[in-house]
């Protein structure tokens, strides 16, 4: 499946701004921009799945959880991150969105 989760990252926002500029300059159509964004959604998912090998453990207090449209959302408080050979990191709040990565290519808004 392909989700639009990564469009709100620095890379995704930059891509959207560039596409908007190209649309306003009439160099591409809105349809082509949408196609580029859909390809970005698929490519970023593949890249993260195939290229990221780092592992980190964390623990925290579960504040809320939700399961809707095959997407799990967890909000944790007082979270500790641990990675070998690095100092521990603490954050007050963390949100995890977990989506099914297998199956056909669908877009969830």
């Amino acid at each position: 499946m392909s989700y639009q989760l990564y469009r709100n990252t620095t890379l995704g926002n930059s891509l959207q701004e560039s596409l908007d500029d190209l649309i306003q300059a009439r160099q591409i159509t809105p349809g082509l921009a949408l196609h580029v964004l859909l390809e970005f959604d698929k490519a970023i998912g593949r890249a993260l799945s195939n290229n990221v090998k780092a592992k980190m453990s964390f623990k925290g207090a579960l504040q809320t959880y939700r399961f809707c449209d095959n997407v799990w959302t967890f909000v944790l408080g007082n979270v500790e991150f641990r990675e070998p050979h690095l100092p521990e990191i603490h954050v007050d709040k963390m949100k995890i969105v977990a989506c099914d990565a297998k199956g056909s290519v669908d877009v969830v808004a």
Side-chain angles (χ1 to χ4, degrees):
M1 290 189 131
S2 181
Y3 295 95
Q4 298 177 1
L5 293 172
Y6 301 104
R7 290 189 189 181
N8 282 334
T9 63
T10 303
L11 182 61
N13 286 330
S14 296
L15 175 60
Q16 289 182 78
E17 288 174 14
S18 297
L19 291 171
D20 288 342
D21 290 345
L22 290 171
I23 291 169
Q24 296 223 344
R26 300 190 193 284
Q27 293 181 335
I28 64 170
T29 64
L32 179 56
L34 179 60
H35 182 72
V36 169
L37 287 172
L38 293 173
E39 287 301 314
F40 170 78
D41 296 335
K42 291 184 225 172
I44 196 83
R46 274 193 311 269
L48 291 172
S49 176
N50 296 333
N51 298 330
V52 175
K53 305 295 181 213
K55 294 187 180 199
M56 177 180 279
S57 62
F58 62 90
K59 69 177 181 177
L62 181 62
Q63 294 177 342
T64 61
Y65 65 93
R66 173 182 28 219
F67 182 71
C68 182
D69 296 331
N70 281 341
V71 177
W72 280 100
T73 303
F74 302 93
V75 177
L76 296 102
N78 194 24
V79 183
E80 298 175 357
F81 292 91
R82 292 192 180 126
E83 187 174 2
H85 313 295
L86 291 176
E88 203 171 90
I89 300 170
H90 295 270
V91 296
D92 293 333
K93 195 173 188 179
M94 179 175 83
K95 181 178 181 180
I96 299 171
V97 179
C99 305
D100 183 9
K102 295 179 175 37
S104 63
V105 176
D106 289 336
V107 177
V108 176

